Amino acid sequence: MAYSNKVIDHYENPRNVGSLPKEDPNVGTGLVGAPECGDVMKLQVKVNPDTGVIDDAKFKTFGCGSAIASSSLATEWLKGKTVDEALAIKNTDIVAELSLPPVKIHCSVLAEDAIKAAIGDYKKKQGKADTAQATAQPTA
Amino acid sequence: MAIKLPIYMDYHATTPADPRVVEAMLPYFTEHFGNAASRNHPFGWEAEEAVDTARKQVADLIGANAKEIVFTSGATESNNLAIKGVAEMYREKGNHIITAVTEHKAVIDTCKRLEKEGYRVTYLPVQKNGLISLDDLRNAISDKTILISIMTANNEIGVIQPIAEIGAIAKEKAILFHTDAVQAAGKIPFNVNELKVDLVSISAHKMYGPKGVGALYVRRRNPRVLLAPQIDGGGHERGMRSGTLNVTGIVGMGKAAELCRQEMARDAARLSGLRDRLSERLHTGLDEIFVNGSVEHRLPHSLNISFAYVEGESLLMGINDVAVSSGSACTSASLEPSYVLKALGAGDDLAHSSIRFGLGRWTTEEEVDYVADKLINVVTRLREMSPLYELAKEGVDLSTMQWEVH
């Protein structure tokens, strides 16, 4: 399978790998996917409570190169965005940026799910859980 | 010492032709180009003689008589001919076939087609070590069973089935026994009479011969096996497989078989040493890696390992100067992980994390060390970014977690 240069770059130099403290009230964590499906993404955002802007984002991904690249790119895009701006990121934006082939579109969908799950978790912690996001919550 | 990259470690998929094989083939493209079926001039006679020599060489590799070798286009055709040929020929005797879930697609899909035509097929499960249970086999046999088809060695995990024991059961019940020996022939000792097999599929390109040629061993005595031909035409190969013989390919297959017979013991000893070295290095450098399938009943050059918490395709990306295969769904067109690994019951996640290493005649110790070192680095790096590894290290039991499966 041929990968785009951007996928290879994210795979070889992943941005923002790591973990943020799960218990921090300003940190939202999303864990999506399943091991038996071959991909699991953990995406975390740290929101500045004063500005509502995402100060930091981290990811860890079990998955193919495209899944790693999709989540790495997502963390890059999340930083500096407000929570609402973050929710506007669409999987199709990731597909376009990374030139993902049709068989890898599910990787971008998973990344979008991870963003929604992380923001949903953050909002829940802040006591303003959005029921629309509840479906994106990890069941783990 | 400088290593030539990329490194080929996928000898189950195919092997390069041995230069001695190519040398033997060359005159048959140009100088001796005759049609082996031309009975009335020396061009035909030369070709026929070359085919007869090759037939003997292939027969000798498996302890057969030259008259029992039918040349085909490859093992897929051999498997089709054996199974469909028996099914059609023995239809009045019965309509039941026994095979196993870990067989190659050329056997499974052939059986599936026969099911549509009214045959009944039992797909035996395998144990955790990849081997079928002989009790399961005995229990599956009925008075309608006409054929047992169990592969000698598996193409993904390299485990060797108890062929002699299956042969004895088949003989006792007077049921024909076919084995797909593509991965085993030329690699481990194989004798049709000792193993009591009636039909054997083999392929040239898996044993340092050319692609596009294979053979089917068809027993002529005790019992005499009859096959309904699947390709009609000029009645070549004793009427079992029509079509002008691929003389160059057959010559190559014969030479490849001869070389394997002569060098098998040495190759096997060297390759099992290298394979064990690879396995030991990986086990020393990494925790939580698992060999798939029996270690004891295994081809000398085969190793299939699951690297827990790391997905196979991302692993392959990290070792892109090494040619190996993965059971990961992402490396296959179907997006389904390996059905063979799933059959072992190890869990889909480990199937996604597997790498198949196939060593061969030109694999060196330097290559093995390079591959081991590189894998240790890549697996370590990928685990650092694996949420599963993190959870496992926190003491979470991943198998009891509820995942959102989509």
Side-chain angles (χ1 to χ4, degrees), chain B residues 86-88 90-98 111 114-115 117-122 142-147:
Chain B
V86 165
E88 195 180 328
Y90 295 86
R91 179 80 210 228
E92 283 182 11
K93 187 170 176 254
N95 69 340
H96 180 226
I97 295 167
I98 299 171
C111 288
L114 289 173
E115 280 185 288
E117 291 170 8
Y119 291 86
R120 205 165 62 75
V121 180
T122 301
S142 76
D143 56 358
K144 293 284 181 211
T145 309
I146 50 173
L147 179 70

Side-chain angles (χ1 to χ4, degrees), chain A residues 3 11 19 36 42 61 104, chain B residues 313-314 318 352 385 390 401:
Chain A
Y3 302 96
Y11 171 81
S19 298
E36 58 263 44
K42 186 186 82 166
T61 289
K104 296 297 186 186
Chain B
E313 189 196 312
S314 63
H352 282 291
M385 65 166 100
E390 182 180 64
M401 276 183 78

